[in-house]
Amino acid sequence: MIMSPEVKLTLWRILDGFICIFILAPLVVFYWRGSFQLLDIFTYPSSLEISSWINIAIGVLGTVMVNLSQNVLHKTVDGIKSTALQIICKRFYTYIYGWIIVNHWRGIWRLWDAYTGTAFWSGVASMLIGCFLLIGMKSFRNVVAPPLVTVSDFDKNYFIIKTRFRTKAKKSWNYLADNLFSVAIPGSLVVSVWRGQWAVLDHFLAADSLTISCLISGGIGFGLTVILFFMQWPASWVSKAAERRKCNFLRLVFEDSFFYLACFAAVNIWRSIWGLCDIFILPEQPAWSNAICHLIGAFGTMILLHGNSVLVRDVQIDGELKDGRGLFFFSKSLTLFEERSGLFPSTVMSPTDMKDKLADANLSPVIIVVSSDKADSLDATSTPAQTEETQRILQHTL
């Protein structure tokens, strides 16, 4: 039986979701659980307060340095002619940067623990402060994490990191301030939201058996994630309808509510897998248990060409993506492999995906009119290289 391109694309997206939810996400949690708790063990364990500040210093300063060097890394590494050497450099970058980010998260998380304890109301305060400030800065969508957001190692802008105010590198002092702000404020507030939700779940899902508590959390998380995966399309339609009616405030409220549910689902999944690892993977030998998880997560995601999924990098802006595109979770695996391998040239891409692809390829300004049987036309201002790339994408699309 010959499968139509539309049916195949739908099945491919469902398989993408399955891989991201049930394979990639657990690997990412393995990585974070191992890395986070290794820092618990080895970072000045005699004082939670001091160790937290050490982690924050490493995380914030390290991330700012990585951000400031992104253009140099982009030009230098992408300019390496040897594909093997380029891959090694990128994986080394991901591994080191991953440790820096985990330092930041562990520092903020444990600092809350050190100064406010781990009780229910500490979690509520952490969550509410993080939520309200992120919403006020139009940065709430950054609370979404794997499995509903994954990042492929195919990204041509592997080293490029978006800051909150999108400052250009040429404006040196403004660029430095933007990078420092993006890491220290929105980045830290996301940690507060996650810590708060985790603490609240620990309170409400407390059970005689930690295993049962983790399984309940996993059922909630995986179940809600699957629902949200299929709700992307109707949610996008609602957002697009609100935008057309110029109800921008209601659109942001709706989108942020959707992101909150996505965050809630992710925290449940992470809490479940994390807790089950604590219970069943060498519980009497925490150092080895965490080292095993760290290595499985790090190398497992790299082998699946999604090592970047363990990183927390860009600062996304609420409402920045128009036409309902902001409510589509970037959780792709097979479609990215297919696109790179060229094994399935018959794939049909949706007009929305095509617009994203053209934008990512830096082909603006390009005007495209797409119908079921033809695509035209290219803007006269497109350069020859842009025109050639656009035609290649259109050929792949149609």
mmCIF file of all heavy atoms in Angstrom, residues 241-265:
data_model
loop_
_atom_site.group_PDB
_atom_site.id
_atom_site.type_symbol
_atom_site.label_atom_id
_atom_site.label_comp_id
_atom_site.label_asym_id
_atom_site.label_seq_id
_atom_site.Cartn_x
_atom_site.Cartn_y
_atom_site.Cartn_z
ATOM 1 N N ALA A 241 -6.590 32.772 16.229
ATOM 2 C CA ALA A 241 -7.874 33.479 16.176
ATOM 3 C C ALA A 241 -7.850 34.709 17.068
ATOM 4 O O ALA A 241 -8.347 35.776 16.689
ATOM 5 C CB ALA A 241 -8.998 32.537 16.598
ATOM 6 N N ALA A 242 -7.255 34.587 18.257
ATOM 7 C CA ALA A 242 -7.160 35.735 19.166
ATOM 8 C C ALA A 242 -6.286 36.832 18.573
ATOM 9 O O ALA A 242 -6.584 38.027 18.696
ATOM 10 C CB ALA A 242 -6.596 35.285 20.511
ATOM 11 N N GLU A 243 -5.216 36.429 17.886
ATOM 12 C CA GLU A 243 -4.330 37.415 17.259
ATOM 13 C C GLU A 243 -5.049 38.150 16.135
ATOM 14 O O GLU A 243 -4.899 39.372 15.995
ATOM 15 C CB GLU A 243 -3.089 36.699 16.719
ATOM 16 C CG GLU A 243 -2.068 37.644 16.098
ATOM 17 C CD GLU A 243 -0.867 36.904 15.537
ATOM 18 O OE1 GLU A 243 -0.690 35.708 15.860
ATOM 19 O OE2 GLU A 243 -0.109 37.531 14.774
ATOM 20 N N ARG A 244 -5.842 37.432 15.342
ATOM 21 C CA ARG A 244 -6.574 38.068 14.245
ATOM 22 C C ARG A 244 -7.588 39.080 14.761
ATOM 23 O O ARG A 244 -7.863 40.082 14.116
ATOM 24 C CB ARG A 244 -7.275 37.004 13.411
ATOM 25 C CG ARG A 244 -6.328 36.215 12.512
ATOM 26 C CD ARG A 244 -7.080 35.127 11.771
ATOM 27 N NE ARG A 244 -6.222 34.449 10.795
ATOM 28 C CZ ARG A 244 -6.597 33.388 10.095
ATOM 29 N NH1 ARG A 244 -7.815 32.883 10.268
ATOM 30 N NH2 ARG A 244 -5.766 32.835 9.234
ATOM 31 N N ARG A 245 -8.146 38.794 15.935
ATOM 32 C CA ARG A 245 -9.118 39.710 16.530
ATOM 33 C C ARG A 245 -8.451 40.777 17.394
ATOM 34 O O ARG A 245 -9.126 41.531 18.100
ATOM 35 C CB ARG A 245 -10.131 38.918 17.356
ATOM 36 C CG ARG A 245 -11.062 38.077 16.495
ATOM 37 C CD ARG A 245 -11.852 37.076 17.346
ATOM 38 N NE ARG A 245 -12.862 36.365 16.569
ATOM 39 C CZ ARG A 245 -12.606 35.374 15.744
ATOM 40 N NH1 ARG A 245 -11.347 34.976 15.561
ATOM 41 N NH2 ARG A 245 -13.571 34.780 15.071
ATOM 42 N N LYS A 246 -7.100 40.793 17.349
ATOM 43 C CA LYS A 246 -6.296 41.779 18.089
ATOM 44 C C LYS A 246 -6.545 41.699 19.589
ATOM 45 O O LYS A 246 -6.462 42.704 20.303
ATOM 46 C CB LYS A 246 -6.563 43.192 17.565
ATOM 47 C CG LYS A 246 -6.245 43.366 16.086
ATOM 48 C CD LYS A 246 -6.319 44.806 15.650
ATOM 49 C CE LYS A 246 -6.072 44.942 14.148
ATOM 50 N NZ LYS A 246 -4.755 44.414 13.747
ATOM 51 N N CYS A 247 -6.842 40.507 20.078
ATOM 52 C CA CYS A 247 -6.990 40.286 21.526
ATOM 53 C C CYS A 247 -5.651 39.794 22.071
ATOM 54 O O CYS A 247 -5.506 38.645 22.507
ATOM 55 C CB CYS A 247 -8.085 39.269 21.798
ATOM 56 S SG CYS A 247 -9.708 39.743 21.182
ATOM 57 N N ASN A 248 -4.639 40.662 22.022
ATOM 58 C CA ASN A 248 -3.285 40.244 22.352
ATOM 59 C C ASN A 248 -3.137 39.836 23.815
ATOM 60 O O ASN A 248 -2.400 38.893 24.143
ATOM 61 C CB ASN A 248 -2.291 41.351 22.014
ATOM 62 C CG ASN A 248 -2.143 41.545 20.513
ATOM 63 O OD1 ASN A 248 -2.191 40.579 19.748
ATOM 64 N ND2 ASN A 248 -1.996 42.782 20.081
ATOM 65 N N PHE A 249 -3.815 40.555 24.715
ATOM 66 C CA PHE A 249 -3.722 40.210 26.129
ATOM 67 C C PHE A 249 -4.296 38.814 26.382
ATOM 68 O O PHE A 249 -3.678 37.984 27.059
ATOM 69 C CB PHE A 249 -4.462 41.242 26.985
ATOM 70 C CG PHE A 249 -4.494 40.900 28.444
ATOM 71 C CD1 PHE A 249 -3.361 41.061 29.235
ATOM 72 C CD2 PHE A 249 -5.652 40.395 29.025
ATOM 73 C CE1 PHE A 249 -3.385 40.723 30.580
ATOM 74 C CE2 PHE A 249 -5.685 40.066 30.369
ATOM 75 C CZ PHE A 249 -4.547 40.232 31.151
ATOM 76 N N LEU A 250 -5.461 38.539 25.810
ATOM 77 C CA LEU A 250 -6.066 37.224 25.984
ATOM 78 C C LEU A 250 -5.216 36.138 25.332
ATOM 79 O O LEU A 250 -5.141 35.012 25.837
ATOM 80 C CB LEU A 250 -7.475 37.217 25.387
ATOM 81 C CG LEU A 250 -8.526 38.060 26.124
ATOM 82 C CD1 LEU A 250 -9.860 37.999 25.398
ATOM 83 C CD2 LEU A 250 -8.683 37.587 27.563
ATOM 84 N N ARG A 251 -4.586 36.476 24.217
ATOM 85 C CA ARG A 251 -3.706 35.499 23.555
ATOM 86 C C ARG A 251 -2.539 35.125 24.461
ATOM 87 O O ARG A 251 -2.196 33.945 24.610
ATOM 88 C CB ARG A 251 -3.187 36.062 22.239
ATOM 89 C CG ARG A 251 -2.227 35.120 21.497
ATOM 90 C CD ARG A 251 -1.917 35.629 20.115
ATOM 91 N NE ARG A 251 -1.039 36.779 20.122
ATOM 92 C CZ ARG A 251 0.290 36.707 20.011
ATOM 93 N NH1 ARG A 251 0.879 35.519 19.917
ATOM 94 N NH2 ARG A 251 1.016 37.794 19.997
ATOM 95 N N LEU A 252 -1.929 36.128 25.106
ATOM 96 C CA LEU A 252 -0.804 35.860 26.002
ATOM 97 C C LEU A 252 -1.248 35.052 27.217
ATOM 98 O O LEU A 252 -0.543 34.137 27.663
ATOM 99 C CB LEU A 252 -0.157 37.173 26.449
ATOM 100 C CG LEU A 252 0.667 37.909 25.391
ATOM 101 C CD1 LEU A 252 1.162 39.240 25.945
ATOM 102 C CD2 LEU A 252 1.858 37.058 24.936
ATOM 103 N N VAL A 253 -2.424 35.381 27.752
ATOM 104 C CA VAL A 253 -2.950 34.631 28.900
ATOM 105 C C VAL A 253 -3.167 33.167 28.514
ATOM 106 O O VAL A 253 -2.797 32.239 29.253
ATOM 107 C CB VAL A 253 -4.265 35.252 29.416
ATOM 108 C CG1 VAL A 253 -4.928 34.335 30.440
ATOM 109 C CG2 VAL A 253 -4.008 36.626 30.017
ATOM 110 N N PHE A 254 -3.758 32.963 27.344
ATOM 111 C CA PHE A 254 -4.015 31.600 26.878
ATOM 112 C C PHE A 254 -2.710 30.840 26.657
ATOM 113 O O PHE A 254 -2.565 29.685 27.088
ATOM 114 C CB PHE A 254 -4.824 31.644 25.580
ATOM 115 C CG PHE A 254 -5.043 30.294 24.962
ATOM 116 C CD1 PHE A 254 -5.961 29.406 25.503
ATOM 117 C CD2 PHE A 254 -4.325 29.902 23.840
ATOM 118 C CE1 PHE A 254 -6.156 28.146 24.943
ATOM 119 C CE2 PHE A 254 -4.513 28.654 23.270
ATOM 120 C CZ PHE A 254 -5.438 27.777 23.830
ATOM 121 N N GLU A 255 -1.755 31.476 26.000
ATOM 122 C CA GLU A 255 -0.489 30.808 25.712
ATOM 123 C C GLU A 255 0.271 30.491 26.998
ATOM 124 O O GLU A 255 0.818 29.397 27.152
ATOM 125 C CB GLU A 255 0.361 31.671 24.772
ATOM 126 C CG GLU A 255 -0.194 31.753 23.357
ATOM 127 C CD GLU A 255 0.731 32.471 22.392
ATOM 128 O OE1 GLU A 255 1.792 32.962 22.848
ATOM 129 O OE2 GLU A 255 0.412 32.541 21.192
ATOM 130 N N ASP A 256 0.309 31.443 27.935
ATOM 131 C CA ASP A 256 1.016 31.195 29.191
ATOM 132 C C ASP A 256 0.345 30.085 29.998
ATOM 133 O O ASP A 256 1.026 29.301 30.677
ATOM 134 C CB ASP A 256 1.096 32.477 30.019
ATOM 135 C CG ASP A 256 2.141 33.452 29.490
ATOM 136 O OD1 ASP A 256 2.936 33.040 28.627
ATOM 137 O OD2 ASP A 256 2.166 34.613 29.928
ATOM 138 N N SER A 257 -0.981 30.005 29.933
ATOM 139 C CA SER A 257 -1.688 28.916 30.615
ATOM 140 C C SER A 257 -1.308 27.565 30.000
ATOM 141 O O SER A 257 -1.109 26.566 30.711
ATOM 142 C CB SER A 257 -3.201 29.115 30.515
ATOM 143 O OG SER A 257 -3.602 30.331 31.113
ATOM 144 N N PHE A 258 -1.196 27.550 28.691
ATOM 145 C CA PHE A 258 -0.789 26.332 27.986
ATOM 146 C C PHE A 258 0.632 25.941 28.386
ATOM 147 O O PHE A 258 0.930 24.767 28.627
ATOM 148 C CB PHE A 258 -0.891 26.572 26.481
ATOM 149 C CG PHE A 258 -0.879 25.314 25.657
ATOM 150 C CD1 PHE A 258 -1.957 24.444 25.671
ATOM 151 C CD2 PHE A 258 0.197 25.008 24.837
ATOM 152 C CE1 PHE A 258 -1.966 23.289 24.900
ATOM 153 C CE2 PHE A 258 0.201 23.856 24.066
ATOM 154 C CZ PHE A 258 -0.881 22.992 24.095
ATOM 155 N N PHE A 259 1.519 26.944 28.473
ATOM 156 C CA PHE A 259 2.898 26.671 28.868
ATOM 157 C C PHE A 259 2.974 26.186 30.314
ATOM 158 O O PHE A 259 3.826 25.352 30.656
ATOM 159 C CB PHE A 259 3.763 27.924 28.700
ATOM 160 C CG PHE A 259 3.877 28.404 27.281
ATOM 161 C CD1 PHE A 259 3.883 29.762 26.985
ATOM 162 C CD2 PHE A 259 3.979 27.506 26.241
ATOM 163 C CE1 PHE A 259 3.976 30.207 25.684
ATOM 164 C CE2 PHE A 259 4.078 27.943 24.920
ATOM 165 C CZ PHE A 259 4.076 29.297 24.650
ATOM 166 N N TYR A 260 2.079 26.706 31.171
ATOM 167 C CA TYR A 260 2.086 26.253 32.559
ATOM 168 C C TYR A 260 1.731 24.772 32.634
ATOM 169 O O TYR A 260 2.361 24.008 33.373
ATOM 170 C CB TYR A 260 1.114 27.066 33.417
ATOM 171 C CG TYR A 260 1.123 26.630 34.864
ATOM 172 C CD1 TYR A 260 2.091 27.113 35.745
ATOM 173 C CD2 TYR A 260 0.215 25.683 35.332
ATOM 174 C CE1 TYR A 260 2.140 26.681 37.057
ATOM 175 C CE2 TYR A 260 0.250 25.251 36.645
ATOM 176 C CZ TYR A 260 1.208 25.754 37.507
ATOM 177 O OH TYR A 260 1.259 25.310 38.798
ATOM 178 N N LEU A 261 0.737 24.364 31.872
ATOM 179 C CA LEU A 261 0.370 22.953 31.844
ATOM 180 C C LEU A 261 1.530 22.100 31.318
ATOM 181 O O LEU A 261 1.786 21.006 31.827
ATOM 182 C CB LEU A 261 -0.869 22.739 30.980
ATOM 183 C CG LEU A 261 -2.189 23.267 31.532
ATOM 184 C CD1 LEU A 261 -3.307 23.080 30.499
ATOM 185 C CD2 LEU A 261 -2.551 22.551 32.826
ATOM 186 N N ALA A 262 2.224 22.619 30.306
ATOM 187 C CA ALA A 262 3.377 21.893 29.763
ATOM 188 C C ALA A 262 4.478 21.765 30.812
ATOM 189 O O ALA A 262 5.120 20.717 30.940
ATOM 190 C CB ALA A 262 3.901 22.609 28.523
ATOM 191 N N CYS A 263 4.691 22.840 31.569
ATOM 192 C CA CYS A 263 5.687 22.809 32.638
ATOM 193 C C CYS A 263 5.272 21.830 33.735
ATOM 194 O O CYS A 263 6.092 21.042 34.226
ATOM 195 C CB CYS A 263 5.868 24.214 33.218
ATOM 196 S SG CYS A 263 6.987 24.307 34.633
ATOM 197 N N PHE A 264 4.002 21.866 34.114
ATOM 198 C CA PHE A 264 3.486 20.971 35.144
ATOM 199 C C PHE A 264 3.660 19.508 34.727
ATOM 200 O O PHE A 264 4.060 18.654 35.531
ATOM 201 C CB PHE A 264 2.009 21.275 35.397
ATOM 202 C CG PHE A 264 1.371 20.429 36.459
ATOM 203 C CD1 PHE A 264 1.677 20.616 37.796
ATOM 204 C CD2 PHE A 264 0.459 19.440 36.111
ATOM 205 C CE1 PHE A 264 1.093 19.820 38.781
ATOM 206 C CE2 PHE A 264 -0.133 18.650 37.082
ATOM 207 C CZ PHE A 264 0.183 18.839 38.422
ATOM 208 N N ALA A 265 3.385 19.225 33.462
ATOM 209 C CA ALA A 265 3.556 17.862 32.952
ATOM 210 C C ALA A 265 5.026 17.448 33.008
ATOM 211 O O ALA A 265 5.361 16.333 33.435
ATOM 212 C CB ALA A 265 3.033 17.773 31.516
#
